[in-house]
Amino acid sequence: MGQSIAEELEPLFNPKSVAVIGATNNWSKWGYSTFTSVLDGFRGPVYPVNNKEGEILGYKAYARVTEIPGPVDLAVFVIPAASVAPVMDDCVTKGVKAAVIITAGFAETGEEGKKLQDEVLRIARKGGIRFIGPNCMGFWSASSELRAFMFPLPVKDGPLAFVSQGGNVGGAVVTSGYMRGIGFHHYVSCGCAADIQIEDYIEYFGEDPQVKVILAYVEGLADGIRFLEKVKKVTPKKPVIVLKPGKTDAAAKAITSHSGALAGSDEAYEAAFRSIGITRVESPEELLDVAIGFITQPLPRGRNIAILTPGGSYGVLCAEACASEGLNVVKLPDKVIAALDKVFPPRWSRGNPVDPAGDRNFVTFLTAPGKLLKVDEVDSLIFMGFGGFSIFAALFLSADAEHPDGVASWVPSRERFRELAIAFTKAVRSRDTKEIGKAIHPIVSGAASIMGIYNEEEVAELTQLVAAAIASGRLNAPVLVSAFLPPDSPLLAEMGIKNPPTPQEAIARFLVAIAEQWVEDYKKPVLTTTFFTEDQPRLRGSHYAYPSGKQAARVLVKLVEYKEYLESIGLYKN
Amino acid sequence: MGQSIAEELEPLFNPKSVAVIGATNNWSKWGYSTFTSVLDGFRGPVYPVNNKEGEILGYKAYARVTEIPGPVDLAVFVIPAASVAPVMDDCVTKGVKAAVIITAGFAETGEEGKKLQDEVLRIARKGGIRFIGPNCMGFWSASSELRAFMFPLPVKDGPLAFVSQGGNVGGAVVTSGYMRGIGFHHYVSCGCAADIQIEDYIEYFGEDPQVKVILAYVEGLADGIRFLEKVKKVTPKKPVIVLKPGKTDAAAKAITSHSGALAGSDEAYEAAFRSIGITRVESPEELLDVAIGFITQPLPRGRNIAILTPGGSYGVLCAEACASEGLNVVKLPDKVIAALDKVFPPRWSRGNPVDPAGDRNFVTFLTAPGKLLKVDEVDSLIFMGFGGFSIFAALFLSADAEHPDGVASWVPSRERFRELAIAFTKAVRSRDTKEIGKAIHPIVSGAASIMGIYNEEEVAELTQLVAAAIASGRLNAPVLVSAFLPPDSPLLAEMGIKNPPTPQEAIARFLVAIAEQWVEDYKKPVLTTTFFTEDQPRLRGSHYAYPSGKQAARVLVKLVEYKEYLESIGLYKN
């Protein structure tokens, strides 16, 4: 065809007008929810096509595509399988450029269906119409805000792109992503993939600079060699994460009746995927876990890991998970042990995992990662129960409840707090780390002192970390100042701070900024975990807390493997 | 000692009074949060003990235990390790009967700590004081509403009992249980287990009729043979689920520095656990998953499983998970295929997993499980995306938005609806399945017809299922009637229905009742799954939807294995 894949698929992903063939007023049919889905966002003309209904949800309906007055770039099919071929003929006549065939009942149902599918393909090829499907749930293109789905799915723009050979798995991943706060630039449910193949979508996503990480759910491939050739050119540019079932006979059988694909030999897939640097995962949730890892973390230099945990048993389970996944829970150098001996109580674990054994020292916890990350022996850090600091913080803030003017108990007076806050606000504007450090030192020091911490070295370390986070713009004045004041404090108004975050929000933002700062300062992955798997983490800034140490370990090992692949093809330099 | 374990531990789990040694007004110490935790629920006298503060949170403090005027059953220790032995001596003098030593710094820190621990044990033994810990987070006893924790944990009474050799893992499981809606009759963080051993707690839980399922997190055992002998007597009575890390060197090292235990050979543990019918799991969340499975499901007769899925790719992943876990995704008998051929569109999968391939027929979905469960070839069913029916239902209800009086569009008139509702309410009171069936048939039939379903056989099947759920008390009038009426409908008032559930609640309760009815009718497990792993299921009635097919498959295989164990010792009869 001579065109680049980006040119070829342009009318599909960025159509100027859409016809929905099978749109209807009958809410119990897919043609209804598909039509409402397209209407939800897309800003170009949308034409319902229905040969029985004259008007659909207030839009004039056309009996045939050929009767639509304006040009039609994209046709969405939601009509019975038997009618698809003749209507595709109409689309060729009309000059439609691309299509998505949601309709099922083609290759996946057996030989008759395969014939029907081949006929549709023949007609589309004749007219140069590229199409998604059949037997799919549709697609999303952020660049045109187009939701050509069977039903409205919650999805927003973001750095991921995803092609799924299963509509349910695809919809679940997209929705889960939405709930986790991460979006997709494109999502395609490819169904039987009669025309555009999975590797074509991956090639297209590979060339799109908006896309940072590519995800795929694959049941079987029409042409495995073509897939490997195409994807091999993408993995050096960006990670390609694939979920591919089919290890068991039961799954292989289910695959054939679902997508009409052949599952193939799992060993062959495993070896082939590995040889071209594909990141293989084992569940829909892991697709997202790993994608978020690639988005938020640098690639680790090696397999050595340190674990920091608020409790021993968490550390045990995380160490087990890391070692099982092939990471090295590294023996900490003596100098690190010595540094931690100085700040943790004598009962601390004195090894890796680093467990302060019930120490309630918030400041020490926040300076420990620096001590671990700065040595060459540590490539990555898992910081467990990270979000739980908000519990300490809440306790810390509640300790001031007795002070009716809301100023924290370590602040000598409102006047002094005003002075500090003004100096601080001025320093923030300077963007100079040293200036900022000077301004915030009394605040950090005072906050530490009410927790009984007077170790000047530690306070200096935390001051530096916070100053760096402020200088880089991660933390700003309202977040820090308001953490120590009630929302209705007159001081906030005096300082011109409107809509301050709640203390809980302020603490959450503070922690995210600190986590991001570790990553920036040491160029090493810092994965954090929540306290419970029932916690529902959301991506905040460029930070995400995994719900378990096991998930964090599995993500880290995928990052290491991708780095090792890049290294093997000469694209990673330490 | 001659006493039964229940008698021995009675003063521990059901004390009449509690002393908190180390209670303090200083909120930054564990002695503060431990004291507030004990105060939160326990109704007997609570005495703070502190030799520097005269009054703590309004309670008179005593400098020594011996100065407390009334008797003290239980002493909670939150003081430095070095002070525990002399204060234990005081407790012996005072006649204290039981203790929990939260304080860390004993056997887990090395030889010196071990000596200190032995000394405490010697003193306690002398005075007949049984104790939990040291180096633990405390415990919960629902029978006395006692939270003797380091800090208040959310926990409620329920059918589980749990002993954990890790405070963080224990706290996470208890809190996750709370979030999932399931409670614990007892929870013990056993720490170094110097006195009472893990197997003692399991024996105690085994004898408590309130406890249905026992959970344990084990890092290492002081006396493996004693553990096996004790637990072997419990597993025939109720399931014992154990999480035991230590497969890797990294975990074994972490265990020693955490609980002072020796991890031991994982192969030896695996074989020993299997030989006495212990159910072994691999993560904290699986502890709860499997416990909930035992609570909500009968034991499956065998490994044959049927899968019903709203989408093919979900079915593929679930079939893979089932087969990988050793379940048999059974070939469905011809008669079942024939029965489903009659009700599903021709494109359905015609095999197992059963996938209606995008059929929107709510009624058929709800009658399919009966067709699968009634044949001998199927031992269990996984019904995927079950909760998702509420999406259909919401659509169904929203279809009536045009009817300003709120009566569903299939109801000929308000007068007719009143007649139906009155007949229905009367029939419900009769508790007669046939009578109820007659009364609800027009409702089921009408609801089906607006979805375009006129298959009388199916409507009859669903009617029967719903009538059985009503007769057994699972469904009642307000739930069903209010689903079709807006909350402020005058009809509800006329019928004397106050505080009707919202339509969404009504649908949720309807689905739970139907799921419970399948289990009762066929005495086979029916595990349902939600649409996304991000969904947060809660136990409702005796129903719980797992967040993925993989989790459901793993639970089912544990149920099968326990049944096989009972069978092997002659305690299970088909």
Side-chain angles (χ1 to χ4, degrees):
Chain A
M1 301 179 186
Q3 285 179 301
S4 77
I5 189 85
E7 286 165 340
E8 267 182 60
L9 302 187
E10 175 68 13
L12 177 69
F13 286 108
N14 295 302
K16 292 193 176 53
S17 55
V18 178
V20 179
I21 300 159
T24 169
N25 289 302
N26 181 344
W27 68 271
S28 74
K29 294 194 164 182
W30 294 119
Y32 176 92
S33 49
T34 304
F35 188 55
T36 59
S37 173
V38 173
L39 291 177
D40 175 23
F42 184 70
R43 277 180 297 262
V46 179
Y47 306 106
V49 177
N50 185 313
N51 57 16
K52 284 182 200 119
E53 300 172 44
E55 195 184 274
I56 292 162
L57 297 178
Y59 288 74
K60 176 176 166 41
Y62 299 88
R64 293 178 62 172
V65 179
T66 45
E67 290 174 13
I68 295 171
V72 173
D73 279 357
L74 174 74
V76 182
F77 287 73
V78 223
I79 50 174
S83 314
V84 172
V87 177
M88 186 61 89
D89 237 340
D90 267 14
C91 287
V92 171
T93 308
K94 173 71 186 167
V96 168
K97 294 173 188 157
V100 49
I101 305 173
I102 290 175
T103 310
F106 289 92
E108 84 281 7
T109 58
E111 214 163 305
E112 280 304 305
K114 179 68 169 64
K115 271 188 206 161
L116 210 54
Q117 182 171 307
D118 288 344
E119 174 65 4
V120 171
L121 181 62
R122 192 190 58 76
I123 297 167
R125 286 268 158 92
K126 186 181 70 185
I129 298 174
R130 302 302 309 261
F131 69 89
I132 295 174
N135 183 27
C136 72
M137 273 206 192
F139 77 111
W140 149 253
S141 176
S143 43
S144 340
E145 234 184 291
L146 174 61
R147 291 170 181 79
F149 288 130
M150 266 164 95
F151 52 87
L153 263 181
V155 60
K156 62 168 192 171
D157 194 4
L160 312 183
F162 180 27
V163 52
S164 177
Q165 212 170 359
N168 276 63
V169 166
V173 168
V174 166
T175 307
S176 292
Y178 187 85
M179 291 162 87
R180 294 193 194 187
I182 190 157
F184 294 80
H185 196 59
H186 299 300
Y187 159 58
V188 174
S189 162
C190 69
C192 290
D195 176 32
I196 310 170
Q197 302 299 306
I198 295 176
E199 58 268 26
D200 297 322
Y201 298 112
I202 294 176
E203 184 185 9
Y204 178 82
F205 300 155
E207 290 184 9
D208 187 335
Q210 300 295 312
V211 173
K212 306 300 176 199
V213 178
I214 298 169
L215 293 75
Y217 169 73
V218 176
E219 294 196 345
L221 297 168
D223 183 344
I225 299 301
R226 184 170 184 270
F227 178 88
L228 295 174
E229 278 170 0
K230 293 265 187 200
V231 179
K232 192 180 176 175
K233 290 181 189 143
V234 179
T235 50
K237 290 188 287 187
K238 50 189 94 170
V240 177
I241 314 170
V242 176
L243 172 62
K244 163 76 181 78
K247 281 178 202 175
T248 59
D249 278 358
K253 272 184 211 157
I255 283 171
T256 303
S257 81
H258 170 232
S259 57
L262 289 171
S265 144
D266 193 70
E267 290 77 11
Y269 268 104
E270 178 68 27
F273 281 4
R274 192 171 288 268
S275 76
I276 63 163
I278 283 177
T279 300
R280 191 174 181 185
V281 294
E282 291 189 4
S283 68
E285 54 271 32
E286 205 170 64
L287 263 178
L288 281 172
D289 281 350
V290 174
I292 292 172
F294 277 120
I295 295 296
T296 58
Q297 304 292 336
L299 294 180
R301 288 177 211 163
R303 291 176 177 257
N304 288 350
I305 183 158
I307 300 166
L308 179 62
T309 172
S313 47
Y314 269 173
V316 166
L317 293 179
C318 187
E320 180 101 316
C322 288
S324 301
E325 295 296 335
L327 296 170
N328 177 28
V329 183
V330 70
K331 186 175 180 310
L332 297 175
D334 291 344
K335 63 181 169 187
V336 174
I337 300 284
L340 294 173
D341 270 341
K342 274 199 227 162
V343 294
F344 283 142
R347 63 177 186 273
W348 83 279
S349 63
R350 306 199 75 239
N352 189 9
V354 174
D355 167 20
D359 189 27
R360 286 175 68 131
N361 185 331
F362 187 64
V363 173
T364 304
F365 259 124
L366 291 182
T367 56
K371 295 178 175 69
L372 293 163
L373 289 164
K374 75 176 170 197
V375 297
D376 285 344
E377 288 84 350
V378 172
D379 297 318
S380 308
L381 173 69
I382 296 182
F383 190 144
M384 307 192 77
F386 186 65
F389 280 108
S390 46
I391 298 169
F392 282 91
L395 214 57
F396 173 71
L397 295 167
S398 72
D400 303 320
E402 295 155 29
H403 295 255
D405 64 350
V407 176
S409 58
W410 53 269
V411 178
S413 67
R414 280 182 61 157
E415 199 40 58
R416 174 76 180 120
F417 189 85
R418 185 187 291 110
E419 271 172 36
L420 289 171
I422 289 168
F424 166 67
T425 308
K426 200 176 142 196
V428 168
R429 295 208 180 104
S430 77
R431 294 254 162 191
D432 180 288
T433 312
K434 268 198 183 167
E435 283 303 308
I436 296 168
K438 265 188 242 165
I440 63 166
H441 185 268
I443 302 181
V444 175
S445 177
S449 74
I450 76 152
M451 302 196 78
I453 298 146
Y454 303 99
N455 180 331
E456 190 44 52
E457 209 177 302
E458 270 182 86
V459 170
E461 220 172 307
L462 184 60
T463 300
Q464 201 181 353
L465 183 67
V466 176
I470 294 167
S472 64
R474 291 190 172 84
L475 278 177
N476 57 26
V479 169
L480 282 175
V481 172
S482 63
F484 299 106
L485 295 172
D488 55 353
S489 161
L491 268 179
L492 288 172
E494 274 176 46
M495 294 175 61
I497 296 173
K498 286 167 197 161
N499 307 316
T502 65
Q504 280 67 22
E505 283 167 358
I507 292 293
R509 288 204 223 164
F510 177 79
L511 288 172
V512 164
I514 295 298
E516 289 176 341
Q517 197 59 43
W518 287 322
V519 173
E520 181 172 312
D521 284 352
Y522 300 100
K523 315 281 182 234
K524 294 178 181 181
V526 179
L527 276 70
T528 66
T529 70
T530 63
F531 262 107
F532 321 109
T533 48
E534 269 70 21
D535 280 352
Q536 293 282 29
R538 274 184 73 79
L539 189 73
R540 287 167 183 272
S542 65
H543 182 75
Y544 181 81
Y546 289 90
S548 75
K550 188 171 183 177
Q551 281 164 278
R554 286 184 63 87
V555 168
L556 256 181
V557 84
K558 300 297 178 192
L559 267 53
V560 170
E561 284 170 1
Y562 183 59
K563 173 259 171 185
E564 287 170 350
Y565 175 73
L566 291 183
E567 204 167 30
S568 76
I569 58 170
L571 284 177
Y572 180 90
K573 282 171 201 81
N574 243 333
Chain B
M1 300 178 187
Q3 286 179 302
S4 77
I5 188 84
E7 286 164 339
E8 268 182 59
L9 302 187
E10 174 68 14
L12 177 69
F13 286 108
N14 295 301
K16 291 192 177 55
S17 54
V18 178
V20 180
I21 300 160
T24 169
N25 287 303
N26 181 344
W27 67 271
S28 75
K29 294 195 164 183
W30 293 119
Y32 175 91
S33 48
T34 304
F35 188 54
T36 59
S37 173
V38 172
L39 291 176
D40 175 23
F42 183 69
R43 278 181 298 261
V46 179
Y47 305 107
V49 177
N50 186 312
N51 56 17
K52 286 184 200 117
E53 300 172 45
E55 194 185 274
I56 293 162
L57 297 178
Y59 288 73
K60 176 177 166 41
Y62 300 89
R64 292 178 63 171
V65 179
T66 45
E67 291 172 14
I68 296 170
V72 173
D73 278 358
L74 174 75
V76 183
F77 287 73
V78 223
I79 49 174
S83 315
V84 172
V87 176
M88 186 61 88
D89 237 341
D90 267 12
C91 287
V92 171
T93 308
K94 173 71 187 168
V96 169
K97 294 173 187 156
V100 49
I101 305 173
I102 290 174
T103 310
F106 289 92
E108 83 281 8
T109 57
E111 215 164 303
E112 281 304 305
K114 180 68 169 61
K115 272 189 206 159
L116 211 54
Q117 181 170 309
D118 288 344
E119 174 64 3
V120 172
L121 182 61
R122 192 190 58 76
I123 299 168
R125 286 267 158 92
K126 187 182 71 183
I129 297 175
R130 302 300 311 260
F131 69 88
I132 295 174
N135 183 26
C136 73
M137 275 205 190
F139 77 110
W140 149 253
S141 176
S143 43
S144 345
E145 234 184 290
L146 173 62
R147 291 170 182 79
F149 288 130
M150 266 165 95
F151 51 86
L153 263 182
V155 59
K156 63 169 193 172
D157 195 3
L160 312 183
F162 180 28
V163 52
S164 177
Q165 212 170 0
N168 275 64
V169 166
V173 167
V174 166
T175 307
S176 293
Y178 187 84
M179 291 163 87
R180 295 192 194 187
I182 191 158
F184 295 79
H185 196 59
H186 300 300
Y187 159 57
V188 174
S189 162
C190 69
C192 290
D195 174 33
I196 311 171
Q197 301 299 306
I198 295 176
E199 58 268 26
D200 296 322
Y201 298 111
I202 294 176
E203 185 186 8
Y204 179 82
F205 300 155
E207 290 184 9
D208 187 335
Q210 301 294 313
V211 173
K212 306 300 176 200
V213 177
I214 298 169
L215 293 76
Y217 169 72
V218 176
E219 295 196 345
L221 297 168
D223 183 344
I225 299 301
R226 184 170 183 270
F227 178 88
L228 295 175
E229 277 170 2
K230 293 264 186 200
V231 178
K232 192 180 177 177
K233 290 180 188 143
V234 179
T235 50
K237 291 188 286 187
K238 53 190 89 170
V240 177
I241 313 170
V242 176
L243 172 61
K244 164 76 181 79
K247 281 179 202 174
T248 58
D249 277 358
K253 272 183 211 156
I255 283 171
T256 302
S257 81
H258 170 232
S259 57
L262 289 171
S265 143
D266 193 70
E267 290 77 10
Y269 268 104
E270 178 69 26
F273 281 3
R274 194 171 286 269
S275 76
I276 63 162
I278 283 177
T279 300
R280 190 175 183 183
V281 294
E282 291 188 5
S283 67
E285 54 270 34
E286 204 170 64
L287 263 178
L288 281 172
D289 282 350
V290 174
I292 292 173
F294 277 119
I295 295 294
T296 58
Q297 304 292 337
L299 295 180
R301 289 177 211 164
R303 291 177 177 258
N304 287 351
I305 183 159
I307 300 165
L308 180 62
T309 172
S313 48
Y314 268 172
V316 166
L317 293 180
C318 188
E320 180 101 314
C322 288
S324 300
E325 295 296 335
L327 296 171
N328 177 29
V329 183
V330 71
K331 186 177 182 307
L332 296 175
D334 291 345
K335 63 183 170 186
V336 174
I337 300 284
L340 294 172
D341 270 342
K342 274 199 226 163
V343 294
F344 284 143
R347 64 179 186 274
W348 84 278
S349 62
R350 306 198 77 239
N352 189 9
V354 174
D355 167 20
D359 190 26
R360 286 175 67 130
N361 185 330
F362 186 64
V363 174
T364 304
F365 260 123
L366 291 183
T367 57
K371 295 179 176 67
L372 293 162
L373 289 164
K374 74 177 171 197
V375 298
D376 286 343
E377 288 84 350
V378 171
D379 297 318
S380 308
L381 173 69
I382 295 181
F383 190 145
M384 306 192 77
F386 186 66
F389 279 108
S390 47
I391 299 170
F392 282 91
L395 214 57
F396 173 71
L397 293 167
S398 71
D400 303 319
E402 295 156 29
H403 294 255
D405 64 352
V407 177
S409 57
W410 53 269
V411 178
S413 69
R414 278 181 63 157
E415 199 40 57
R416 175 77 181 119
F417 189 84
R418 187 186 289 110
E419 271 171 37
L420 288 170
I422 290 169
F424 165 67
T425 308
K426 200 176 141 196
V428 168
R429 295 207 179 104
S430 76
R431 293 254 161 191
D432 180 288
T433 312
K434 268 198 184 167
E435 283 304 307
I436 297 169
K438 266 189 241 166
I440 63 167
H441 185 268
I443 303 181
V444 175
S445 176
S449 75
I450 76 153
M451 303 197 76
I453 297 146
Y454 303 98
N455 180 331
E456 190 43 50
E457 209 176 304
E458 269 183 87
V459 169
E461 221 171 305
L462 184 59
T463 301
Q464 202 181 349
L465 183 68
V466 176
I470 294 168
S472 64
R474 291 191 172 84
L475 279 176
N476 57 27
V479 169
L480 282 174
V481 172
S482 63
F484 299 106
L485 295 172
D488 54 353
S489 162
L491 268 179
L492 287 172
E494 273 176 47
M495 292 174 61
I497 296 173
K498 286 168 198 161
N499 306 315
T502 64
Q504 280 67 21
E505 283 166 358
I507 292 293
R509 288 203 223 164
F510 176 80
L511 288 171
V512 165
I514 295 299
E516 289 176 341
Q517 197 59 43
W518 287 323
V519 172
E520 180 172 313
D521 285 351
Y522 301 101
K523 316 282 183 232
K524 294 177 181 181
V526 178
L527 275 70
T528 66
T529 70
T530 63
F531 262 108
F532 321 110
T533 48
E534 269 70 20
D535 279 352
Q536 293 282 28
R538 273 183 74 79
L539 188 73
R540 288 166 183 274
S542 65
H543 182 75
Y544 182 83
Y546 289 90
S548 75
K550 187 170 183 179
Q551 282 164 276
R554 286 184 63 87
V555 168
L556 256 181
V557 83
K558 300 297 177 191
L559 267 54
V560 170
E561 284 170 0
Y562 183 60
K563 173 260 172 186
E564 288 170 350
Y565 174 73
L566 291 182
E567 204 167 30
S568 76
I569 59 169
L571 284 177
Y572 180 90
K573 283 170 200 81
N574 241 332

